[in-house]
Amino acid sequence: MEEYDELSAGPGEAGEVDLSHSAWSELPDQLFSFSGKLLSLNLSHNKLVEIEDDFSQLTLLSTLNLECNVITRITPKIGNCVRLRYVNLNGNKIDTIPEQMGKCILLEVLQLQNNFVTTLPSSFGNILALRILELQNNKLTFLPPEIAKIPTIEEIHCEGNKDLTMVPDDMRKSSDMVIWALRLHRDHQDKIGVKVEHYDELEEKARESEEQRLRMNDSNSNVMDEIRNLEEIRPIRYIALKAKIKQMKARAKCVIL
């Protein structure tokens, strides 16, 4: 088959392999034998159902095109592909993005149009090279405000997500407005974080005060116990004997006189 010929030839001079339009439903083991020189992989327009764990072997990969497959799962091990710069996942059936994708800190362009994604992980705020994020026509209900902290972010496209109430519909056509809205959410989130931290500090002080009060109560109880013990062992005999001696001395003095 032609696609096997393409695969057996290995990566081209620029480290690329093109297996697009080849009806692949799963990846051959031979592909991963190129991990030491594979830089660009085109698997668009196939029948792949997942980005499998073995993808973690492709640590030199910088360009990955998986457009128009039937992918439902992305392995968390995608985070091992730390040299990724361009990823195209348009036109699949993805609903969840793994937290570990935030480790792909060199990623510049991520295309996720026409999937079923409901949210992105907050770890995306760590992708400090991200410039373009395409999220049109998904099921988004939330975008992490941390994205607004990315200094390189230029474009966020999120049209066609009717439940994304944190960005009003009339703002979604403008990346600048989307980024502005996320920054508002980020600032609000930061303010809440400060208040929560202050509350936790007060809670800790209250716990310390309560512990101190309990220790003082214990000390007071111990002192009262000591007082009761001393009252029970008053030196009554010594006091009576002392009084008797005093009386005898007084009588002796009278006899001498």
Side-chain angles (χ1 to χ4, degrees):
M1 293 177 65
E2 184 178 346
E3 57 267 24
Y4 284 98
D5 293 338
E6 177 68 26
L7 183 60
S8 61
E13 292 183 1
E16 78 283 0
V17 168
D18 187 349
L19 299 176
S20 62
H21 299 275
S22 301
W24 291 97
S25 59
E26 58 183 29
L27 298 179
D29 293 338
Q30 186 179 358
L31 177 66
F32 301 104
S33 67
F34 306 142
S35 61
K37 49 188 174 180
L38 183 58
L39 304 179
S40 177
L41 178 59
N42 187 351
L43 289 163
S44 63
H45 298 274
N46 281 289
K47 298 179 180 179
L48 299 171
V49 298
E50 68 172 339
I51 300 178
E52 56 192 73
D53 291 351
D54 287 338
F55 258 88
S56 63
Q57 300 177 37
L58 306 179
T59 55
L60 298 182
L61 197 63
S62 64
T63 299
L64 177 60
N65 188 347
L66 288 161
E67 182 177 17
C68 294
N69 280 271
V70 286
I71 295 169
T72 59
R73 175 184 176 270
I74 302 174
T75 174
K77 293 185 179 180
I78 192 71
N80 292 348
C81 302
V82 294
R83 290 180 172 83
L84 280 172
R85 293 184 179 273
Y86 170 86
V87 176
N88 186 344
L89 293 166
N90 290 340
N92 281 280
K93 297 183 178 181
I94 301 165
D95 60 5
T96 302
I97 305 299
E99 185 81 22
Q100 291 80 357
M101 199 164 186
K103 295 179 180 179
C104 302
I105 58 174
L106 299 180
L107 187 62
E108 296 180 22
V109 178
L110 177 59
Q111 297 174 299
L112 277 167
Q113 300 180 45
N114 301 306
N115 279 279
F116 300 97
V117 179
T118 57
T119 187
L120 297 179
S122 59
S123 63
F124 266 46
N126 299 326
I127 308 177
L128 299 182
L130 190 62
R131 296 186 298 107
I132 299 173
L133 184 57
E134 297 183 359
L135 302 164
Q136 300 97 312
N137 303 316
N138 276 277
K139 303 291 184 182
L140 287 171
T141 59
F142 180 79
L143 284 177
E146 288 83 358
I147 293 176
K149 295 182 179 180
I150 299 174
T152 55
I153 195 71
E154 298 173 1
E155 301 177 21
I156 300 177
H157 302 282
C158 56
E159 304 97 303
N161 290 278
K162 64 178 183 178
D163 295 323
L164 187 61
T165 56
M166 64 187 299
V167 180
D169 185 57
D170 57 351
M171 289 186 178
R172 296 176 199 163
K173 294 179 181 179
S174 167
S175 291
D176 288 340
M177 295 303 293
V178 173
I179 294 170
W180 176 78
L182 289 181
R183 283 175 179 159
L184 287 182
H185 286 286
R186 178 203 64 191
D187 293 344
H188 185 68
Q189 182 173 281
D190 289 346
K191 289 178 181 177
I192 292 175
V194 170
K195 294 297 183 183
V196 169
E197 184 177 346
H198 182 56
Y199 176 82
D200 290 342
E201 290 175 357
L202 292 176
E203 280 283 292
E204 181 62 26
K205 289 180 179 178
R207 281 192 294 270
E208 291 175 356
S209 296
E210 178 63 14
E211 290 172 1
Q212 185 177 11
R213 186 185 67 80
L214 292 173
R215 286 195 297 269
M216 290 179 64
N217 285 344
D218 289 341
S219 297
N220 289 343
S221 296
N222 291 336
V223 171
M224 290 303 297
D225 288 342
E226 291 174 0
I227 291 172
R228 281 191 291 269
N229 290 335
L230 288 172
E231 287 178 344
E232 291 176 358
I233 58 171
R234 287 176 186 271
I236 298 174
R237 293 181 181 177
Y238 173 77
I239 293 173
L241 181 59
K242 187 75 172 177
K244 188 174 182 180
I245 292 172
K246 188 176 181 180
Q247 290 177 358
M248 291 175 63
K249 286 183 177 180
R251 290 175 183 170
K253 187 177 180 181
C254 291
V255 170
I256 294 172
L257 293 175

